[in-house]
């Protein structure tokens, strides 16, 4: 569709060209190749493209769609199984106007300095992609020129301890017989760092099977779009494979058993963040798998904060 | 030193924070406490048409057209639900009487567990009632 696309009128240069932190000031230089006539306004915007999931059609709890989330009806005509879609939205954070004289955006360089607010979420894959945008309002389709940059997320100050972060357990009606205590050495980590900690398990019921204890990272992406209908529950992903921390363990009812664990965050892990349309949360999840075909799997998780800066 | 900065934009709400995602007609239907009133609500064509709400334009109108087509069958099923419900209630009563010795044995042998189970049943019933009225 190049026929209908407007010619690029300008290029953007960012200083510093490296990753920036919240509260840093970014200098944006606009190089306009030749004067642009018919302009009503022009501005430089800093913001991010925020990815999220939404339910694209119908009411989620409509009577007519009862049972559509069953595996039996997956992919069947007339159901909206898989009715969730990925989308993104532009979130403008801060902007500054450019000089427009008598409806003409003059050629040559123009420079603006913009300070990133302290609450700016860090760059995170498809969830948060920061861009500096030149927005030229003119007759017909507006012209937008974008240049991406990286924002590092800083650790919360004061850094939370592991005990202050959520411990989630006992959410399932079945397979809920173990009391978990999970502690990590710190509450905040960078991607690529090793997370060390201990897990203590105390069975409440008699145990007649041996157990395997394993640990992995769980990443939850909550979608909370402002306008669109959000999906039910967060999108869940794990850092595979699981790391076994103890095998063939004989747990005893009422007896507390403690195990150390250590596992490394992936180098490209997204930071913990809360953006306008979605959020990312990280957990260390412990699984206790009892032996045998009918052995229950029990799980619990402790939150950690991942920061990139 | 404090620096003036724009306030953070307001974030949206997750599905849990928004509450149950149903049409107003369906919420009214679920809010009814008696079976007779629920049947009247269910027989209302607006209740059936509301099932097509929030679909994209075009698909919504097509769904409403289909729902109008199936309305007579829907009405028939709603009327059929009444005797089926009565039979179900009668069956529940029969089972209640049939299992009375089992409950009596349970109460005698394990009174604490029995009391806890009865309390849980009551709590479940209350929770269901509260969910319906909220």
């Amino acid at each position: 569709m190049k026929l209908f696309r407007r010619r690029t009128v300008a290029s953007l240069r960012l200083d510093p060209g490296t990753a920036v932190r919240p509260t840093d000031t970014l200098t944006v230089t606009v190089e306009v190749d030749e004067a642009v006539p018919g302009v009503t306004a022009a501005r430089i915007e800093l913001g991010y493209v925020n990815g999220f999931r939404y339910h694209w059609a119908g009411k989620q709890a409509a009577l007519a769609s009862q049972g559509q989330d069953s595996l039996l009806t997956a992919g069947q005509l007339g159901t909206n199984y898989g009715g969730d879609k990925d989308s993104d939205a532009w979130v403008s954070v801060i902007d500054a106007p450019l000089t427009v004289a008598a409806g003409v955006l003059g050629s040559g360089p123009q420079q603006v300095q913009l300070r990133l607010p302290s609450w700016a979420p860090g760059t995170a894959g498809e969830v948060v992609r920061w861009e500096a945008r030149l927005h030229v309002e003119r007759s017909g389709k507006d012209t937008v020129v974008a240049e991406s940059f990286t924002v590092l997320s800083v650790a919360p100050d004061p850094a939370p301890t592991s005990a202050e972060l959520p411990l989630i357990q006992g959410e399932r009606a079945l397979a809920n017989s173990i009391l978990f205590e999970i502690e990590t050495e710190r509450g905040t980590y960078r991607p690529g760092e090793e997370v060390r900690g201990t897990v203590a398990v105390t069975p409440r019921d008699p145990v007649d099977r041996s157990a395997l204890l394993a640990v992995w990272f769980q990443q939850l992406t909550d979608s909370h779009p402002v306008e669109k209908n959000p999906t039910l529950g967060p999108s869940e992903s794990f850092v595979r494979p699981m790391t076994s921390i103890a095998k063939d363990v004989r747990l005893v009812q009422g007896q507390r058993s403690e195990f150390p664990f250590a596992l490394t965050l992936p180098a490209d892990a997204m930071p913990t963040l809360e953006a306008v349309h979605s959020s990312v949360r990280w957990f260390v999840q412990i699984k206790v798998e009892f032996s045998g075909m009918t052995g229950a799997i029990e799980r619990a998780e402790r939150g950690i904060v991942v920061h990139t800066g | 030193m404090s620096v003036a900065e724009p306030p953070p934009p307001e974030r949206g709400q997750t599905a849990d924070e928004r509450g149950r995602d149903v049409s107003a007609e369906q919420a009214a239907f679920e809010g009814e406490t008696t079976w007779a009133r629920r049947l009247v609500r269910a027989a209302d064509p607006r209740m059936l048409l509301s099932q097509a709400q929030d679909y994209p334009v075009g698909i919504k109108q097509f769904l409403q057209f289909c729902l109008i087509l199936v309305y007579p069958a829907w009405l028939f099923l709603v009327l059929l639900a009444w005797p089926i419900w009565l039979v179900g209630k009668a069956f529940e009563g029969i089972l209640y009487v049939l299992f009375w010795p089992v409950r009596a044995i349970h109460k005698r042998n394990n009174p604490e567990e029995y009391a806890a189970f009865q309390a849980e049943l009551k709590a479940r019933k209350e929770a269901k009632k509260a969910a319906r009225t909220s």
Side-chain angles (χ1 to χ4, degrees), chain A residues 64-150:
Chain A
S65 48
Q66 296 295 307
Q68 289 189 0
D69 51 356
S70 155
L71 278 177
L72 290 172
T73 54
Q76 294 288 315
L77 200 66
T79 67
N80 59 7
Y81 185 85
D84 293 344
K85 277 186 180 179
D86 286 313
S87 184
D88 52 41
W90 171 250
V91 178
S92 176
V93 168
I94 193 164
D95 60 15
L98 291 177
T99 313
V100 176
V104 176
L105 178 65
S107 63
Q110 282 199 52
Q111 212 173 53
V112 290
Q113 290 198 321
L114 291 164
R115 180 185 175 275
L116 277 172
S118 56
W119 45 261
T123 295
E126 291 298 304
V127 181
V128 171
R129 300 193 307 275
W130 278 90
E131 283 179 0
R133 286 186 174 184
L134 163 67
H135 197 107
V136 183
E137 287 176 26
R138 55 201 287 205
S139 53
K141 198 182 172 196
D142 289 356
T143 303
V144 176
V145 180
E147 184 70 38
S148 59
F149 63 98
T150 305

Side-chain angles (χ1 to χ4, degrees), chain A residues 8-294:
Chain A
T8 311
V9 294
S11 58
L12 298 179
R13 205 172 59 244
L14 307 179
D15 182 42
T18 54
V20 289
R21 288 183 170 76
T23 71
D24 280 358
T25 300
L26 202 68
T27 307
V28 185
T29 311
V30 188
E31 284 280 357
V32 182
D33 303 332
E34 50 188 85
V36 186
V39 175
T40 47
R43 63 181 186 275
I44 292 290
E45 275 183 349
L46 293 190
Y48 55 89
V49 180
N50 193 185
F52 60 89
R53 278 182 82 72
Y54 72 101
H55 191 75
W56 73 277
K59 298 274 185 196
Q60 306 227 42
L63 275 179
S65 48
Q66 296 295 307
Q68 289 189 0
D69 51 356
S70 155
L71 278 177
L72 290 172
T73 54
Q76 294 288 315
L77 200 66
T79 67
N80 59 7
Y81 185 85
D84 293 344
K85 277 186 180 179
D86 286 313
S87 184
D88 52 41
W90 171 250
V91 178
S92 176
V93 168
I94 193 164
D95 60 15
L98 291 177
T99 313
V100 176
V104 176
L105 178 65
S107 63
Q110 282 199 52
Q111 212 173 53
V112 290
Q113 290 198 321
L114 291 164
R115 180 185 175 275
L116 277 172
S118 56
W119 45 261
T123 295
E126 291 298 304
V127 181
V128 171
R129 300 193 307 275
W130 278 90
E131 283 179 0
R133 286 186 174 184
L134 163 67
H135 197 107
V136 183
E137 287 176 26
R138 55 201 287 205
S139 53
K141 198 182 172 196
D142 289 356
T143 303
V144 176
V145 180
E147 184 70 38
S148 59
F149 63 98
T150 305
V151 175
L152 299 174
S153 70
V154 290
D157 185 27
T161 60
S162 185
E164 288 166 355
L165 294 165
L167 172 68
I168 300 170
Q169 63 176 325
E171 285 203 318
R172 285 152 204 261
L174 297 171
N176 178 21
S177 70
I178 291 179
L179 182 72
F180 286 87
E181 295 159 66
I182 307 167
E183 290 283 334
T184 52
E185 279 180 352
R186 308 196 314 261
T188 58
Y189 293 90
R190 286 168 196 272
E193 277 190 340
E194 191 178 53
V195 178
R196 291 170 175 278
T198 52
V199 52
V201 288
T202 315
R204 283 188 285 250
D205 297 339
V207 184
D208 55 356
R209 296 167 187 258
S210 63
L212 164 83
L213 270 83
V215 59
W216 59 0
F217 290 111
Q218 181 197 36
Q219 185 211 311
L220 296 182
T221 308
D222 300 281
S223 288
H224 37 77
V226 173
E227 283 172 8
K228 288 193 160 114
N229 195 357
T231 53
L232 284 178
S235 317
E236 189 181 48
S237 66
F238 296 96
V239 178
R240 293 186 160 81
M242 291 194 93
T243 310
S244 301
I245 50 175
K247 286 177 181 170
D248 285 328
V249 184
R250 288 275 165 198
L251 298 173
V252 182
Q253 183 186 12
Q255 194 174 309
R256 187 174 181 275
S257 315
E258 199 172 292
F259 305 91
F261 65 83
L263 70 167
T264 309
L265 270 167
D268 58 351
M270 286 183 197
T272 302
L273 62 93
E274 187 175 271
V276 172
H277 302 289
S278 54
S279 305
V280 173
R281 293 179 287 155
W282 279 92
F283 294 90
V284 172
Q285 188 177 79
I286 308 283
K287 262 179 153 183
V288 176
E289 293 186 19
F290 289 104
S291 62
M293 286 283 282
T294 54

